[in-house]
Amino acid sequence: MAAIARSLPRMTVKLAGQTDLDGWRTAARALAMKGVPADQVGWTIAGNASADLFAGTDHAASEALPGADSTTFTVPRAFVELAETVVCHRDPERFALLYRVLYRLREEPHLMKIGSDTDVRRLEAMAKSVRRDIHKMRAFVRFRRIGGGPDDRHVAWFEPDHFIVEANAPFFVRRFTGMRWTILTPLASADWDGTRLTIGPGATKTDAPSEDDAETLWRTYFASIFNPARLKVKAMQAEMPKRYWRNLPEASLIPDMIRGAEEKAREMVEKQPSEPAPHHAKIQARHWPAPPAGDSTTQDGADARTLAELSRTAESCRRCDLWRDATQTVFGEGPAPARVVFVGEQPGDHEDIAGKPFVGPAGRLLDGVLVEAGVDRDAVYVTNAVKHFKFEPRGKRRIHARPNAGEVKACRWWLDHELALIRPDLAVALGATAAQSLLGKPVAITKLRGQVIVRDDGLRVFLTVHPSYLLRIPDPADRDAEHGRFLADMKAVKALMG
Amino acid sequence: MTAITLRQKLAILSDAAKYDASCASSGAAKRNSLKSGGIGSTEGSGICHSYAPDGRCISLLKILLTNFCIYDCSYCINRSSSNVRRARFTVDEVVQLTLDFYKRNYIEGLFLSSGVIRSPDETMGEMVEIARRLREEHRFGGYIHLKTIPECAPELLEKAGRHADRLSINVELPTDEGVNRLAPEKKPETIRISMARLRSKIEEKSEPTMRTKTRERFAPGGQSTQMIIGADASPDATILKSSARLYSSYRLRRVYYSAFSPIPDSSSALPLKNPPLMREHRLYQADWLMRFYGFEQDEILSGRPDGMLDLAVDPKLAWAIGNRAMFPVDVNRADRENLLRVPGLGTRAVGRILDTRRYRRLRLEDVGRLCQSITKVRPFIVAEGWTPGALTDSANLRARLAPAPVQMELF
Ligand code: SF4
């Protein structure tokens, strides 16, 4: 009593109910505008006898306070949102604390951003406690069904910490729209008849049904989904504190589950592996027959007679390490025989996912330029010097990495066999890696661009840049100029095709 | 033999499903039943409706359609050579169980996987039918996660994505060699290609269609995967490298790590010991550092020649102790990126530091109020009136900050 005597408020505001945010707002706004300091105001709830200490100086919240004019002062959204939550807290001090912060906001407009301020922290802690309670109610309400068929109703008994039933009821409406349900708590109840939500008075546990057939199945599930080899009781209790257990049908199983866990886990560890189940051999024979004896044909593709065969063999290539991180081998595509073969560097992100060459941005650019140059895309075979995508992971993206000489050399195996089956009279090397693979040595593309080098085997190799180079040029004017050069190259290719 | 009851089936087929770590019901599009008049909603973050004494959240009805399986993966309780009791739900039973549990608010929805019976398409077809019936016949708006069978036909995948919130395919083990050895009938290439297919479908369907200008629904909660930890000899470095590859290649929402746990009737190919739970925990922490804290996979293990995460301290603290030249960081000036590197400062705390310091200079006490505990933070920051001095470089820093070894938990 001494504490109250020392800071006896000059006036007391009586609110209409435990979560009367509107009443608080109206009164608090008026008081703050009149400059009434926080320690001069007491807050009480109508009909709450024990809190009614200052009955003599009541101001009903709904009455306009004398002297309050209609100009408003603004508060940050963050405060309004916090207040909506904090009013649900069961601490009787909440209205006073909210008013103190409101009062301070007049002088300290950034107060809500000061996470280290004691008042702000206290409000946040209260809001957090309310939010947690709201969340736990959504989690731990357990409905029990009354009746069956179309007339059934679902009723739950729940004991929240704060005044949250009204704030939380719309969630249950959104979720259980097609059911008729009632949630009973000591402080309030919520009822949904399929079309209308009604908030009513508190109830007692005996008002709710005491059992439901589904609970047997639910308890079976709870017991079976538990892995005794991973016992972590504290982790469970942090999230599902014991005070909730009395209203959870599954919770009565917990002590026995814990007691038996160690023993069960030990049994599993100690038990010797058993003989395979009787049906196992039959399943193996039916679904996974051993490959026929003598099927030891070389898997290197050397004897492949068609591109399809060659490409199938390349699927499981392990000639270098690039297969490890990529999704799949991206083999060449196009007619065979073909007059001309376009060789790029390696598949990119899109190609790796799709399993087809030149389907990403660079491929689309190439397609466009080929159309412009009048090259019949369908008469062209496209492939890459390296058949697996080499990259560095960066978060949700993959950054292209250049294949090294060893990888280019290893993968040349496939390019050589492709060329042998396609027998083109012209190959177009798109970029340095392709040129290196086709010519067997490093080539300065910038110097030799647009030229034709004839290989020992007679294949003519036309040298140009990779279309992805064009995509990386930031300046539009430069890009246009390069596009023009690339188009000229493709026209030259068209001419060489004859 | 008497007919198996629904309750027995549930016991067998949930026991069979418990080794899958994922129970998440988050990431779905917002949805409720106000318009449909049915039941079910998903509102962003999922809800854990219960916790088992293994500390794991129970959010979904996590069951197998059947535990009959033609595969023989040695780590799996349902492998064809296992002597476990077998059962099979009907489509109706799964639909009814899901609805009954959901209406009592036991669950957020269904996580359905299955052993493969007869053919992948047949099994996947039944799983899709369950999802379809829930959605179309019962106007069910809760969460649905389907474990996709990699070998199934593309049309089935398409249908699965229309009804499910999330699809997942397990990579099973961190390396292809591991899969070849322990799951000889599974093809790592097929698994990768299926994940690639899922990624393209998800991306394709997130674009509005030309004709209707609306988006078609396709697994709005994305895809995830799981790796078993400790069944093969892969070190953490290999595991994290695989994760980095999976996140970047297939845009996964999550990679789950599941400590290999002894199973009843185990195979001789595997270690029989308690699951490496602390290792699993450290891997999750390292995974978070990669996804939310701007760490690269190779950085996290830079100071660990054996490629294993430090079990005694969390990976961020381990990194900081190994890179003390980067500290102390001035909380009043450092940018977000550097603040995120400070042990004990989470993304939230860093956000609040950045907010607060626009209006006042932060003292050590202020930082203490903004984060969970200042003990870990103190040696690594400079604040108004505080410098750690020699503390940052003190030889026993690690010993000081490492938590005391945990005792067996008593109840
Ligand atoms: S990049 Fe070429 S050589 Fe290397 S694994 Fe792939 S297909 Fe084989």
Side-chain angles (χ1 to χ4, degrees), chain A residues 124 142 174-175 274 327, chain B residues 43 49 108 250 265 352:
Chain A
E124 280 179 355
R142 295 285 184 264
R174 292 193 296 275
R175 172 158 290 198
S274 53
T327 301
Chain B
E43 307 199 346
H49 287 273
E108 289 290 286
Y250 311 118
D265 194 31
R352 306 184 71 191

Side-chain angles (χ1 to χ4, degrees), chain B residues 221-242:
Chain B
Q223 65 166 327
S224 64
T225 194
Q226 164 169 295
M227 263 188 254
I228 298 168
I229 303 312
D232 64 355
S234 303
D236 295 342
T238 307
I239 293 166
L240 291 177
K241 195 162 177 264
S242 287

Side-chain angles (χ1 to χ4, degrees), chain B residues 382-401:
Chain B
V382 170
E384 184 73 16
W386 165 259
T387 55
L391 186 56
T392 314
D393 294 316
S394 69
N396 63 351
L397 186 59
R398 185 175 178 282
R400 246 187 231 231
L401 295 178

Side-chain angles (χ1 to χ4, degrees), chain B residues 137-276:
Chain B
E137 292 175 15
H138 298 278
R139 292 172 295 166
F140 177 69
Y143 196 85
I144 298 180
H145 177 165
L146 296 180
K147 170 67 54 63
T148 309
I149 297 169
E151 294 81 4
C152 81
E155 308 84 74
L156 283 170
L157 201 65
E158 183 110 2
K159 281 191 196 152
R162 200 175 313 145
H163 302 303
D165 292 285
R166 171 169 288 183
L167 298 174
S168 64
I169 300 169
N170 285 356
V171 293
E172 312 290 3
L173 293 157
T175 64
D176 285 13
E177 286 84 351
V179 177
N180 291 335
R181 192 166 67 82
L182 298 176
E185 296 96 8
K186 290 215 168 126
K187 300 257 170 305
E189 299 84 354
T190 314
I191 295 173
R192 280 202 281 265
I193 290 172
S194 304
M195 295 175 100
R197 240 185 240 154
L198 270 184
R199 173 186 142 186
S200 11
K201 270 274 168 264
I202 292 168
E203 283 175 354
E204 175 197 321
K205 300 276 165 122
S206 67
E207 301 286 327
T209 60
M210 298 294 269
R211 213 158 33 83
T212 60
K213 301 275 182 262
T214 55
R215 291 194 186 94
E216 268 178 75
R217 219 185 115 85
F218 192 91
Q223 65 166 327
S224 64
T225 194
Q226 164 169 295
M227 263 188 254
I228 298 168
I229 303 312
D232 64 355
S234 303
D236 295 342
T238 307
I239 293 166
L240 291 177
K241 195 162 177 264
S242 287
S243 300
R245 167 174 66 79
L246 290 165
Y247 280 121
S248 64
S249 300
Y250 311 118
R251 315 269 154 89
L252 300 180
R253 291 293 174 93
R254 285 291 297 274
V255 173
Y256 289 93
Y257 306 96
S258 174
F260 175 67
S261 166
I263 45 176
D265 194 31
S266 55
S267 144
S268 51
L270 287 164
L272 286 174
K273 54 175 195 229
N274 286 319

Side-chain angles (χ1 to χ4, degrees), chain A residues 381-432:
Chain A
Y381 185 91
V382 290
T383 190
N384 282 298
V386 168
K387 307 277 191 268
H388 274 113
F389 180 30
K390 183 176 181 182
F391 63 92
E392 287 295 330
R394 284 280 174 285
K396 291 203 176 259
R397 313 253 148 230
R398 301 189 281 185
I399 311 294
H400 161 276
R402 196 179 243 262
N404 62 34
E407 288 148 359
V408 174
K409 185 160 173 255
C411 213
R412 197 181 164 183
W413 169 268
W414 299 112
L415 183 59
D416 284 348
H417 279 83
E418 277 175 298
L419 292 172
L421 289 171
I422 299 164
R423 320 194 122 277
D425 43 40
L426 179 66
V428 179
L430 300 166

Side-chain angles (χ1 to χ4, degrees), chain B residues 73-145:
Chain B
C73 312
S74 40
Y75 48 80
C76 179
I77 183 179
N78 307 314
R79 68 187 189 283
S80 67
S81 63
S82 159
N83 288 287
V84 76
R85 193 163 176 211
R86 309 277 168 173
R88 180 178 177 179
F89 278 130
T90 65
V91 168
D92 273 339
E93 283 168 340
V94 176
V95 169
Q96 204 50 50
L97 259 179
T98 307
L99 293 172
D100 282 347
F101 279 15
Y102 198 89
K103 284 182 176 172
R104 280 142 183 103
N105 203 39
Y106 300 157
I107 53 169
E108 289 290 286
L110 174 68
F111 177 3
L112 186 64
S113 43
S114 184
V116 176
I117 27 169
R118 292 197 285 277
S119 77
D121 279 355
E122 206 167 316
T123 311
M124 191 67 200
E126 280 194 19
M127 293 168 74
V128 169
E129 174 61 9
I130 288 168
R132 187 199 66 79
R133 269 199 221 174
L134 280 169
R135 293 282 192 241
E136 290 178 357
E137 292 175 15
H138 298 278
R139 292 172 295 166
F140 177 69
Y143 196 85
I144 298 180
H145 177 165

